[in-house]
Amino acid sequence: MTTTSETIRPSREMERSKVQLASAGAKELFLEYCSNSSVHGVRYFGCRERSLCEKFWWVVVFVLSVGSCVMLILKTYQKWDQTPVIVSFNEKSTPVWQIPFPAVTICPQTKVKSEILNFSRDFGEFINMDSGEAGDFNRTDYLLTMMQLCERTFYTIVLREAHSLPNKASHQSYASIVREMSLSMYQMMEYCMIRSELKFCEDMFSHTMTEEGICVSFNLLSAAELLRTDVIQTVDPYLSEHHKAPHWTLEQGYSSEATLSSYPYRTLGPGYSAGLSLLLLSSNHDLDYLCRGPVQAFKVLLHSSAEYPQVSQRFVHVPVDQEVTIAVKPQMVTTTEGLRSYTPERRQCFFNNERYLQFFKIYTQDNCELECLTNYTLQRCNCVKFSMMYANDTPVCETNQIYCMLDAENDLLEMDLVSHQDQQANFRAQCNCLPACTSIQYDAEITQTDFDWQKWSQAIELPLNSTTGMHVARLGIYFKEAQFMTSKRSELYGLTDFLANCGGLLGLCMGVSLLSLVELCYFCTVRPFSLWRKQKRAEVDAKNLKYDEVPGISLLSMSMKGDKELQ
């Protein structure tokens, strides 16, 4: 029992001595670091000549400096993480010949010839007809189709109970009926000129199916370039093909092979003579005030060649017997290649290859929002409007579902206001329609004046087909200036800027540099290991010296014993 306690006591003393040696070594290492550190204020911590009060004062100052530095670095990190992108003006202005002339979509307020359908007269007969009366009313489908093209005031004032309307009688689609009863658009346009060159309107414009019915578009990409024709329905085409191969993309601009006559069209400079001009004709017999309201005119929309037109959202009125000139000021936003490594949420835009749209090949914010409205209308009403993009198996809404379509559009717009309350119910947020990283918008300055077309046509002997009951308007669109300022998204704080700011704050508050951090790592890793090896080597040398002083011990036995002790 005594032998056991005597054996344990030396082992505890040995462990205690090892702990003391380790703490003493750590203290010496700390004092060595303090005396040699390049960090400001640290050398006063281990200075033996300083009093305890002085050391405490320096510790407080150092802690305050470290806290201030950490706080400032956190603010810099938040700025780098939350607002890494800045939108600024480009260093150089952009000439207008580097971008396409705006796409122009023109929709007439008159939707049908009075010989085919007199809506004001036939609608009254249709409403007054008994629900069980069959009659020989052969224009029911035309009336139901026309109701989907009316202004919203018609639904709120005249048509108060759309749910009581019957379904379309025939199996013919609404889009095909719209196309069948629409006016001949090319008969409503005369003397189309681009860059002061007179051309056939049929060669410049193509038919487009919109929520306003059949319209014509100038400088719009073809269906093969803009739409996913393998996904959308093929019975009723949305765009008439013009077989013009484009030499332009939204992100890359015009190719090196593009010429002045390449598609989409572009102009060489500003001014009326360098732009687009045409005459718009309408007949007084075809004007309808019940469906389309009191303003009888044409609706004109300026948009990018890569955007599908949505005329009812924003448009310019071209009244009858008026001349309207539109001076265009482009607004273009580009994004630097350095932002491609950022997530779309951080840079707040999508490159074309990052965001897949179901119906469109080219991503723009307007295309995405149109697709979002289509999907939400399908979810809410179990159908879509005839002018929307849809697949072959998607049902098309009847006219008695018009209020459901209108409510879906209004609800989708209101979702942003309540998005903070219920994110799951915000369908609009789920669409995630951020702006495109490269976008073009066309701001318009409009001038309108009376157009005495009769005297003008007589003076120049303009060969119009007939002037009886006719209204003529003239439209001119041109660039206001030869150059414009382009905005660009670029890095506000890149990784290099963030590290530079952190280094500046560390140097300001503590005098720390990159070598100071390397020095700290050295004293935490390399220096302790080096001291440990020196201590081990010193212990071995001391034991060897002890055995050399004992007589009668052979070198071989001393070596073996030394090796055993080392083990």
Side-chain angles (χ1 to χ4, degrees), residues 166-191:
N167 290 339
K168 181 165 52 62
S170 66
H171 297 289
Q172 191 177 4
S173 65
Y174 279 108
S176 62
I177 295 176
V178 169
R179 188 174 288 104
E180 180 180 300
M181 70 179 188
S182 294
L183 301 174
S184 178
M185 293 300 301
Y186 298 135
Q187 293 180 1
M188 302 179 62
M189 303 164 58
E190 292 283 352
Y191 295 95

Side-chain angles (χ1 to χ4, degrees), residues 489-553:
R489 293 184 185 89
S490 56
E491 285 182 317
L492 176 62
Y493 279 108
L495 181 60
T496 303
D497 300 321
F498 174 69
L499 293 177
N501 287 334
C502 291
L505 292 173
L506 288 171
L508 175 66
C509 299
M510 303 164 55
V512 174
S513 65
L514 181 61
L515 291 179
S516 301
L517 300 178
V518 174
E519 184 182 60
L520 180 62
C521 295
Y522 166 76
F523 276 96
C524 290
T525 56
V526 179
R527 185 59 178 164
F529 179 73
S530 178
L531 293 176
W532 177 78
R533 288 190 61 185
K534 288 181 179 180
Q535 184 180 0
K536 283 294 184 180
R537 191 178 297 112
E539 291 177 358
V540 173
D541 293 341
K543 290 181 180 180
N544 291 337
L545 182 60
K546 179 180 179 181
Y547 288 130
D548 288 341
E549 295 175 353
V550 179
I553 299 179

